[in-house]
């Protein structure tokens, strides 16, 4: 039966992906202002040896690389899910304004100095910003119980611009905090710590698991919302759950690393090209792929123009922008 | 017995905002039958189907499946009882055929366990039944329209429903695939005991496949019943505002409709006046109008079938009250129309004292320069109910130099020649 052969193929694909992730991890940990060789990495991590580079590796590189893996995974899983929910390959947390909303939330908490949730305040604000923006964009593009994808994209872009200009305005008013704010808008992992890793992972990793849990329903959604309804899927509830989880993940990502653009768009597409659009594979594979890509992008950003650092959000946008245009063009020719 | 009915609706009413889309719909559908819902655009067919599938909730009335009120069933319970096949499904992200068919098992699948061997067996059977198993590994978007629709049918079948609702399932397919899909659905109703309810646009397909037809107009059930009873020209004219003639498919014996177009193929300059009545002119009127000739008729009794078709084509008619002898006024109108025409055609009509003036007309001096065509000269005697009076007039007319006796096919050639000369 085709099920068993598919099973073996799945395990094989998954192993290859995880291998790829591990290789990327070692590369990303190894390169930087100081290059650390694989041998040394191994001996520090597994044998606990106390070499010159131990502090760099354990306190700076490793948490940073692992955070980039987690954030990349979160953004890419969210991108894949949102493309499925809206049945459009051009959608991700960035194009729908969620990332800008989260950034605005984070900036608001920094500027106002509110600390009601203690350490997590910025994270909570980022999450609320993401949710509020998503629902606002969704509401804007909803006419008579239907959400047109074109108006969804347009309102997403419009709201995104609007929020970005508010962020710029706040930067103007709060010149003393400008560096902190720029961090959110450009996306940077330079302040990574183990604490941040634990904080973001505790939202993002369970979030990805929940998204995987709904992958079968998401597959059925590809037939169209009406058809999905006829097969017994509670479409409105499903969309609601998925979008809230997505907002949660995006909020956690943005509060940790700022807005990191295009990754959520690109990673699922690479997976689609290789493994197809079955969400049962797409979501976990995109997560791994996205984690690997973000680790590499951040590592590249660290070494390309030393001693300066390119923020990771800038790196992903530089690489992802052209890919987005390529997709748009491809879709246009398909539609014609 | 109550259980004989698979779907029952009572006093269904539905509005979109202020617009009343369906009103007071009552019907019962027997298990294992193929029902077609027909009606013009905007008559509420699709809304009706969406209410049966509980995609839309009616403001009034109830739908009962077997003995269960649709309202009290959960989404999954409903999808185990009925599946819906839409016009066509477009996928932005492509899936393999087998995955799409397996999606039909969703109402039975436990989220934690995933699909079981049983689910796969049922999906395979559905694919075998619809002849899609051979391309079960192909991607959906690479298939042809007919293949896609078969895959969707396989998915619907994998749901193991008792009822299949179809919303214009063949409207984007070519003839071969239309027949293929409808054959398949019909087969399911016969072999699997499925009850199929289909919204169809093609009335002849509805006639060929349905056990029962429900005709909607303005959100109401206008007519319902067996196809040969419901599909007649009066009902069609009322519901679709279109004139049709009805005959039978020579092979299957099913009712077949031919729409009548009132737009002529060509405009001609020749005007023809017809002396007809009692249905003798039906075919010739349609033929002449269809070929672009100017046509007038007379003297016809109001209500006569030739009169009715003349009215339909908005021809000039010399008319007379039913059962009355032709009055002087009608006679003069008839003469006037004949003078205006280029030629006059006498059809094989029956003559009595009441309409003998139609024959006398042809001896008028003012018509001496017009060609008079007489169709079907044979057995005039049997059409004469005047005791020989008509016969003697007829014999005189035949001796006139402007009279031509001919058959119908010769007539058309003669008229076309006349038209060419006229130009």
């Amino acid at each position: 039966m085709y099920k068993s052969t598919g099973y073996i193929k799945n395990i094989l694909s998954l192993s290859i992906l995880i291998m790829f992730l591990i290789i990327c991890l070692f590369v990303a940990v190894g390169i930087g202002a100081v290059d650390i060789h694989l041998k040394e990495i191994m001996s520090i991590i597994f044998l606990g040896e106390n070499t010159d580079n131990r502090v760099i590796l354990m306190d700076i590189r490793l948490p940073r690389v692992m955070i980039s893996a987690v954030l990349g995974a979160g953004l890419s899983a969210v991108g894949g899910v949102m493309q499925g929910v809206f049945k459009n390959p051009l959608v991700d947390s960035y194009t729908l304004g969620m990332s800008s909303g989260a950034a605005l939330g984070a900036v608001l908490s920094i500027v106002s100095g509110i600390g009601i949730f203690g350490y997590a305040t910025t994270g909570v604000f980022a999450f609320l910003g993401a949710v509020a923006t998503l629902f606002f964009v969704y509401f804007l593009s909803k006419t008579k119980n239907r959400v047109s994808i074109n108006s969804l994209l347009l309102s997403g872009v419009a709201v995104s611009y609007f929020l970005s200009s508010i962020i710029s305005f706040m930067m103007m008013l709060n010149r003393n905090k400008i560096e902190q704010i720029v961090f959110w808008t450009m996306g940077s992992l330079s302040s990574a710590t183990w604490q941040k890793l634990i904080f973001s992972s505790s939202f993002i990793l369970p979030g990805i698991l929940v998204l995987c849990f709904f992958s079968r329903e998401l597959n059925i959604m590809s037939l169209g919302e009406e058809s999905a309804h006829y097969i017994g899927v509670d479409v409105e509830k499903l969309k609601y759950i998925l979008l809230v989880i997505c907002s949660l993940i995006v909020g956690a990502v943005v509060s940790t690393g700022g807005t990191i653009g295009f990754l959520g768009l690109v990673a699922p597409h690479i997976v689609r090209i290789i493994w197809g659009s079955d969400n049962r594979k797409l979501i976990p594979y995109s997560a791994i792929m996205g984690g690997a890509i973000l680790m590499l992008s951040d590592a590249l950003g660290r070494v390309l123009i030393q001693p300066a650092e390119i923020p990771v959000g800038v790196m992903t946008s530089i690489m992802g922008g052209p890919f987005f245009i390529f997709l748009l063009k491809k879709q246009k020719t398909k539609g014609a | 017995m109550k259980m004989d009915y698979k779907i029952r609706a009572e006093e269904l009413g539905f509005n979109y905002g202020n617009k009343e889309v369906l009103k007071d719909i009552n019907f019962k559908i027997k298990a294992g039958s193929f029902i077609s819902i027909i009606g013009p655009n905007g008559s509420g067919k699709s809304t009706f189907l969406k209410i049966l599938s509980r995609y839309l909730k009616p403001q009034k009335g109830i739908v009962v499946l077997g003995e269960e009120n649709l309202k009290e069933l959960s989404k999954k319970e409903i999808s185990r009882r009925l599946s819906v096949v839409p016009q066509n499904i477009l996928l932005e992200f492509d899936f393999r055929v087998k995955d799409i068919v397996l999606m039909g098992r969703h109402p039975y699948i436990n989220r934690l366990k995933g699909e079981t061997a049983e689910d796969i067996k049922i999906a395979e059977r559905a694919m075998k039944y619809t002849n899609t198993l051979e391309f079960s590994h192909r991607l959906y978007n690479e298939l042809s329209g007919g293949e896609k629709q078969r895959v969707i049918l396989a998915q619907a079948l994998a749901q193991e429903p008792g009822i299949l609702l179809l919303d214009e399932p063949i409207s984007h397919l070519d003839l071969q695939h239309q027949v293929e899909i409808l054959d398949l659905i019909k087969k399911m109703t016969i072999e699997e005991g499925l009850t199929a309810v289909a919204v169809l646009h093609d009335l002849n397909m509805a006639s060929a496949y349905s056990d029962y037809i429900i005709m909607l107009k303005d959100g109401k059930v206008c007519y319902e019943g067996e196809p040969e009873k419901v599909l007649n020209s009066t009902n069609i004219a009322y519901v679709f505002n279109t004139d049709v003639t009805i005959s039978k498919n020579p092979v299957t014996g099913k009712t077949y409709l031919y729409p009548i177009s009132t737009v002529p193929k060509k405009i001609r300059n020749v005007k023809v006046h017809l002396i007809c009545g009692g249905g003798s002119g039906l075919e010739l009127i349609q033929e002449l109008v269809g070929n672009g000739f100017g046509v007038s008729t007379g003297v016809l009794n109001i209500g006569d079938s030739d009169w009715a078709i003349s009215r339909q084509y908005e021809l000039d008619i010399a008319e007379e009250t039913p059962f009355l002898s032709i009055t002087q006024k009608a006679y003069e109108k008839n003469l006037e129309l004949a003078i205006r025409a280029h030629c006059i055609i006498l059809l094989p009509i029956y003559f009595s004292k009441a309409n003998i003036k139609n024959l006398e007309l042809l001896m008028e001096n003012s018509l001496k320069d017009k060609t008079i065509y007489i169709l079907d000269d044979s057995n005039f005697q049997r059409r004469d109910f005047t005791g020989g009076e008509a016969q003697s007039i007829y014999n005189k007319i035949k001796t006139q130099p402007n009279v031509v006796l001919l058959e119908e096919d010769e007539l058309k050639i003669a008229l076309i020649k006349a038209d060419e000369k006229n130009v």
Side-chain angles (χ1 to χ4, degrees):
Chain A
M1 268 302 310
Y2 46 71
K3 196 190 178 185
S4 54
T5 57
Y7 196 64
I8 294 165
K9 246 166 82 184
N10 265 349
I11 300 246
L12 199 71
S13 309
L14 202 62
S15 322
I16 292 171
L17 267 171
I18 290 173
M19 286 284 288
F20 176 60
L21 185 78
I22 291 171
I23 292 168
C24 289
L25 187 125
F26 281 112
V27 171
V29 167
I31 61 173
V34 183
D35 286 341
I36 311 175
H37 290 288
L38 184 63
K39 225 175 169 180
E40 198 180 346
I41 297 172
M42 290 295 200
S43 65
I44 294 172
I45 296 176
F46 295 109
L47 304 173
E49 274 180 33
N50 206 347
T51 63
D52 297 346
N53 292 325
R54 184 177 170 86
V55 175
I56 299 178
L57 183 73
M58 293 308 281
D59 291 354
I60 300 171
R61 291 256 175 98
L62 206 53
R64 178 169 183 164
V65 168
M66 284 176 75
I67 278 186
S68 57
V70 171
L71 301 196
L75 282 176
S76 306
V78 165
V81 167
M82 291 183 66
Q83 287 163 15
V85 169
F86 295 112
K87 290 175 280 298
N88 189 296
L90 300 180
V91 171
D92 77 340
S93 60
Y94 209 68
T95 46
L96 289 192
M98 278 160 87
S99 295
S100 316
L104 180 63
V107 169
L108 271 177
S109 84
I110 295 167
V111 169
S112 63
I114 297 172
I116 37 171
F117 302 107
Y119 170 77
T121 306
T122 315
V124 173
F125 270 70
F127 166 67
L128 291 178
V131 176
T133 313
L134 176 68
F135 280 87
F136 182 60
V137 167
Y138 195 71
F139 166 79
L140 269 187
S141 43
K142 190 166 181 167
T143 42
K144 275 191 191 169
N145 282 323
R146 282 199 53 198
V147 176
S148 125
I149 295 298
N150 283 336
S151 61
L152 192 78
L153 280 174
L154 281 176
S155 15
V157 171
V159 168
S160 207
Y161 269 116
F162 178 70
L163 296 179
S164 302
S165 53
I166 292 185
I167 294 176
S168 307
F169 183 60
M170 287 188 167
M171 277 160 62
M172 241 183 68
L173 294 182
N174 298 277
R175 285 180 194 280
N176 55 330
K177 288 176 179 162
I178 206 158
E179 224 168 295
Q180 254 176 301
I181 297 173
V182 166
F183 164 87
W184 292 104
T185 56
M186 282 192 183
S188 167
L189 300 169
S190 55
S191 65
T193 60
W194 285 108
Q195 201 186 9
K196 280 191 178 178
L197 174 65
I198 292 164
F199 172 78
S200 54
S201 309
S202 59
F203 286 97
I204 295 170
L205 298 182
I208 295 174
L209 267 182
V210 176
L211 293 181
C212 290
F213 204 59
F214 286 99
S215 54
R216 182 195 313 280
E217 273 101 329
L218 198 55
N219 277 351
I220 297 175
M221 285 270 284
S222 330
L223 302 174
E225 293 188 6
E226 201 177 321
S227 293
H229 170 95
Y230 295 137
I231 301 180
V233 175
D234 193 336
V235 174
E236 288 308 313
K237 200 170 110 194
L238 178 68
K239 276 201 292 195
Y240 184 79
I241 293 173
L242 291 179
L243 293 181
V244 167
I245 302 280
C246 286
S247 307
L248 195 71
I249 294 176
V250 170
V253 169
V254 173
S255 70
T256 314
T259 50
I260 299 166
F262 289 109
L263 181 67
L265 191 83
V266 174
H269 278 293
I270 296 173
V271 174
R272 268 183 224 288
I273 289 164
I274 305 174
W275 288 284
S277 290
D278 185 340
N279 287 292
R280 286 171 295 182
K281 290 182 222 158
L282 181 80
I283 300 170
Y285 291 8
S286 298
I288 299 171
M289 181 66 82
I293 293 175
L294 197 63
M295 282 195 290
L296 284 185
S297 312
D298 185 48
L300 272 180
R302 276 187 279 130
V303 297
L304 274 184
I305 51 161
Q306 286 189 55
E309 218 180 77
I310 305 172
V312 66
V314 176
M315 280 301 296
T316 54
S317 296
I318 286 175
M319 296 191 294
F323 190 76
F324 182 82
I325 293 165
F326 161 75
L327 279 179
L328 195 70
K329 184 112 177 60
K330 209 176 113 192
Q331 204 193 26
K332 247 189 183 165
T333 45
K334 200 174 85 185
Chain B
M1 249 177 62
K2 214 173 166 190
M3 268 305 287
D4 284 349
Y5 295 107
K6 196 77 188 177
I7 316 179
R8 199 151 52 82
E10 284 168 18
E11 282 155 40
L12 279 186
F14 184 83
N15 359 301
Y16 279 117
N18 289 329
K19 198 175 167 265
E20 206 174 14
V21 184
L22 293 177
K23 35 203 144 168
D24 199 28
I25 304 247
N26 288 288
F27 67 90
K28 291 168 176 173
I29 289 170
K30 275 195 188 132
S33 46
F34 189 121
I35 291 94
S36 293
I37 301 168
I38 59 176
N41 293 335
S43 58
K45 294 171 304 209
S46 292
T47 308
F48 179 66
L49 215 61
K50 283 182 175 137
I51 286 175
L52 291 189
S53 60
R54 197 128 186 98
Y55 187 67
L56 296 174
K57 296 179 177 84
Q59 281 93 351
K60 274 189 294 183
I62 54 162
V63 179
V64 181
L65 301 184
E67 284 180 333
E68 300 162 306
N69 189 337
L70 191 65
K71 205 162 68 184
E72 280 149 22
L73 297 171
S74 75
K75 280 204 171 87
K76 278 201 173 179
E77 281 169 338
I78 292 173
S79 55
R80 282 182 212 143
R81 285 161 180 74
L82 94 204
S83 44
V84 181
V85 175
Q87 209 175 99
N88 57 346
I89 284 184
L90 304 167
L91 291 185
E92 177 60 47
F93 303 120
D94 218 347
F95 283 86
R96 300 206 179 274
V97 167
K98 66 180 170 75
D99 290 326
I100 290 184
V101 176
L102 261 172
M103 288 178 192
R105 296 301 298 162
H106 175 75
Y108 301 90
I109 288 175
N110 181 309
R111 188 193 298 282
L112 295 174
K113 284 191 199 143
E115 59 244 353
T116 62
E118 175 76 8
D119 291 318
I120 289 168
K121 223 173 83 190
I122 291 166
E124 271 193 340
R125 184 179 173 274
M127 286 190 274
K128 223 174 261 168
Y129 199 88
T130 51
N131 271 326
T132 50
L133 193 59
E134 61 205 271
F135 50 83
S136 70
H137 281 270
R138 280 180 62 197
L139 288 168
Y140 178 82
N141 282 344
E142 290 168 1
L143 304 177
S144 73
E147 288 170 334
K148 280 180 184 163
Q149 204 61 336
R150 262 155 54 205
V151 171
I152 298 304
L153 271 177
Q155 186 195 59
L157 211 56
Q159 262 173 270
E160 296 190 302
I163 301 159
L164 198 60
L165 303 179
L166 306 112
D167 193 0
E168 295 177 29
I170 54 164
S171 57
H172 64 292
L173 299 179
D174 61 32
L175 187 62
Q176 180 202 340
H177 292 110
Q178 289 188 0
V179 172
E180 181 186 273
I181 294 295
L182 289 178
D183 274 351
L184 193 56
I185 297 165
K186 186 78 184 171
K187 213 173 91 178
M188 289 177 186
T189 66
I190 295 167
E191 294 178 2
E192 310 283 303
L194 243 70
T195 306
V197 183
V199 167
L200 291 178
H201 260 316
D202 188 326
L203 301 184
N204 287 318
M205 287 296 189
S207 160
Y209 285 94
S210 316
D211 300 309
Y212 199 80
I213 286 182
I214 296 175
M215 240 179 180
L216 291 182
K217 182 187 167 80
D218 300 330
K220 281 191 280 196
V221 175
C222 227
Y223 305 104
E224 58 177 310
E226 282 149 20
E228 57 273 25
K229 285 184 188 145
V230 179
L231 295 174
N232 58 52
S233 49
T234 328
N235 291 358
I236 303 283
Y238 177 65
V239 173
F240 290 92
N241 205 12
T242 303
D243 298 310
V244 293
T245 49
I246 305 269
S247 83
K248 296 238 177 277
N249 180 319
V251 179
T252 62
K254 302 276 187 187
T255 303
Y256 201 91
L257 311 170
Y258 302 89
I260 302 168
S261 169
T262 49
V263 180
K265 288 180 207 153
K266 197 178 164 187
I267 304 293
R268 295 182 196 270
N269 294 313
V270 168
K271 277 189 183 158
V272 187
H273 184 68
L274 264 53
I275 309 289
C276 53
S280 60
L282 273 180
E283 280 173 33
L284 190 60
I285 290 171
Q286 292 185 37
E287 173 95 20
L288 291 179
V289 173
N291 278 294
F293 290 99
V295 180
S296 55
T297 53
V299 173
L300 296 171
N301 287 115
I302 293 168
D304 180 287
S305 53
D306 286 349
W307 175 85
I309 196 157
S310 303
R311 282 292 292 261
Q312 205 173 67
Y313 286 121
E314 296 168 359
L315 308 181
D316 288 324
I317 317 170
E319 57 187 25
E320 185 55 84
T321 318
F323 306 114
L324 281 190
S325 294
I326 295 169
T327 56
Q328 191 56 33
K329 198 178 152 214
Y331 180 83
E332 274 163 18
K333 168 84 177 175
N334 203 17
L335 181 60
E336 185 198 323
L337 291 176
I339 291 169
R340 260 197 266 153
H342 295 92
C343 57
I344 300 146
I345 302 168
L346 175 65
L347 285 108
I349 52 178
Y350 291 85
F351 285 102
S352 69
K353 294 277 186 201
N355 70 346
I356 196 161
K357 281 196 166 154
N358 274 344
L359 206 52
E360 288 168 1
L361 179 92
L362 300 177
M363 314 213 342
E364 284 282 348
N365 267 328
S366 48
L367 299 179
K368 282 279 179 276
D369 57 332
K370 312 261 178 204
T371 314
I372 296 172
Y373 296 105
I374 296 181
L375 273 186
D376 191 13
D377 167 52
S378 59
N379 57 50
F380 186 88
Q381 226 168 354
R382 273 165 48 194
R383 293 192 265 116
D384 179 8
F385 292 92
T386 59
E389 194 184 339
Q391 180 77 61
S392 68
I393 300 172
Y394 183 67
N395 288 342
K396 270 186 221 157
I397 292 169
K398 280 207 287 187
T399 60
Q400 288 176 195
N402 60 336
V403 168
V404 183
L405 302 179
L406 38 56
E407 295 297 320
E408 201 172 322
D409 40 346
E410 298 167 319
L411 174 72
K412 202 177 149 190
I413 298 166
L415 288 177
I416 289 171
K417 266 189 194 150
D419 176 53
E420 279 159 6
K421 236 187 273 168
N422 205 292
V423 175

